Amino acid sequence: MANPYPPLTDAPALTPLLLRGALLSPFKRPRADAEFPRTRLVLPGVRVDLAKLAAYERVCGFPTGDDALPITYPHVLGFPLAMRLMSCRTFPLPLLGLVHTSVEITRHTAVPATGEYELTVYVDELTPHRRGTEATVTTEMRTGDTLVWESRSTYLARHRTEAQPPRATEEPLPLPTVAEWRLGEDVGRRYGAASGDRNPIHLHPLTARLFGFPRAIAHGMWTAARCLAAHGTPERALARAEFRAPVLLPGTVEYAALDDRFALRDAAGRVHVEGFVRPPVA
């Protein structure tokens, strides 16, 4: 398949990509065996805007002024490239209604905020899911030839599938509550300003209602970052977060944690996010 993308010299703007993806969505018919773009988007010479980083750290609860980037911040740097791929005509899943279901991050070493990096983003695979088709998007960050950080995000397009029984999993014991967080109505707008992700479902109740939500919902990556900021992560870490249910804004949630596991849930026990932080696999 020919490469439909010119070489990158800067991160693309997110809003035009959202609009393009929305316009193309009605013409896409997702299926797990569809062709998908095999292009690897590479952006060299990436440097961090320290003012935007500080705003991100504040809204997510990370300490400000540290030399090393928060473990989730490279996702913000790579997200415009991922959006460029997922909003393209050749990407088979409709961007409208696409649900971020999980993220797995490996930090191989501390990533200084003042460094210069190369980002690579590509669609790794499409897989069948009991509720539709899931795409896996991989992001890699390098300094020189050294891989310092990588992630795999899964995005689900819901559609009719052949009936599949749910996977049998052993339910872990509930985690003890560590803190209660009262989330303001403006969390989505603050995170959107810091990250550049201004999806309308996160910004205002009126725009969220257009997509079927009673109120604005928090970004999934904000919930993961907020939990990881509270949990703490070592210099070398493997972190995974699975997004189970949206967090409505404003709202109150419980942060729970024990050993390497964490979760975010409401007072009734409904889990919004759950995950773990462990040493990376050697």
Side-chain angles (χ1 to χ4, degrees):
M1 183 183 294
N3 183 359
Y5 309 98
L8 289 170
T9 57
D10 201 358
L14 279 171
T15 299
L17 297 178
L18 280 169
L19 291 173
R20 182 176 72 177
L23 290 172
L24 290 174
S25 289
F27 303 100
K28 298 190 176 184
R29 299 293 180 266
R31 65 183 197 277
D33 61 349
E35 283 296 317
F36 59 89
R38 309 287 175 154
T39 307
R40 289 176 175 245
L41 295 183
V42 178
L43 180 61
V46 175
R47 287 192 172 275
V48 174
D49 182 320
L50 297 181
K52 289 183 179 178
L53 172 61
Y56 177 90
E57 290 169 334
R58 287 192 294 270
V59 72
C60 296
F62 290 105
T64 58
D66 282 1
D67 179 56
L69 293 178
I71 190 170
T72 48
Y73 196 70
H75 174 91
V76 171
L77 300 175
F79 188 62
L81 279 68
M83 282 294 298
R84 192 179 191 199
L85 287 172
M86 293 190 291
S87 64
C88 180
R89 189 180 300 276
T90 57
F91 183 71
L93 307 185
L95 193 63
L96 281 182
L98 204 62
V99 180
H100 194 183
T101 50
S102 74
V103 63
E104 185 170 287
I105 297 170
T106 304
R107 183 168 63 190
H108 297 283
T109 186
V111 183
T114 53
E116 181 174 311
Y117 303 99
E118 179 182 270
L119 289 171
T120 302
V121 179
Y122 56 94
V123 180
D124 192 47
E125 62 180 349
L126 296 184
T127 54
H129 186 280
R130 63 187 179 88
R131 293 182 178 176
T133 298
E134 212 165 47
T136 300
V137 178
T138 296
T139 302
E140 300 170 345
M141 175 183 271
R142 288 178 171 81
T143 176
D145 295 328
T146 303
L147 180 66
V148 295
W149 183 100
E150 60 186 311
S151 75
R152 287 169 58 87
S153 280
T154 56
Y155 297 90
L156 172 66
R158 294 191 180 101
H159 59 85
R160 288 182 177 274
T161 63
E162 294 183 6
Q164 298 178 23
R167 291 175 297 177
T169 57
E170 183 178 345
E171 289 294 328
L173 294 174
L175 299 175
T177 299
V178 175
E180 182 180 88
W181 297 336
R182 295 184 180 182
L183 310 181
E185 182 263 344
D186 65 341
V187 165
R189 292 192 292 276
R190 291 174 58 211
Y191 183 84
S195 67
D197 184 357
R198 294 182 172 88
N199 188 319
I201 63 175
H202 304 302
L203 303 182
H204 194 277
L206 292 178
T207 52
R209 286 184 197 126
L210 295 174
F211 297 90
F213 297 99
R215 304 196 300 275
I217 64 172
H219 295 72
M221 283 304 299
W222 177 83
T223 62
R226 185 70 184 88
C227 288
L228 289 168
H231 188 282
T233 54
E235 182 176 294
R236 297 181 66 251
L238 169 66
R240 180 174 176 83
E242 298 190 12
F243 307 114
R244 301 296 189 190
V247 175
L248 295 174
L249 301 172
T252 301
V253 291
E254 296 177 350
Y255 168 68
L258 182 66
D259 299 329
D260 63 354
R261 295 168 53 212
F262 63 84
L264 198 66
R265 62 194 180 211
D266 63 18
R270 184 190 191 199
V271 175
H272 298 290
V273 184
E274 60 183 354
F276 62 78
V277 179
R278 296 171 184 165
V281 178

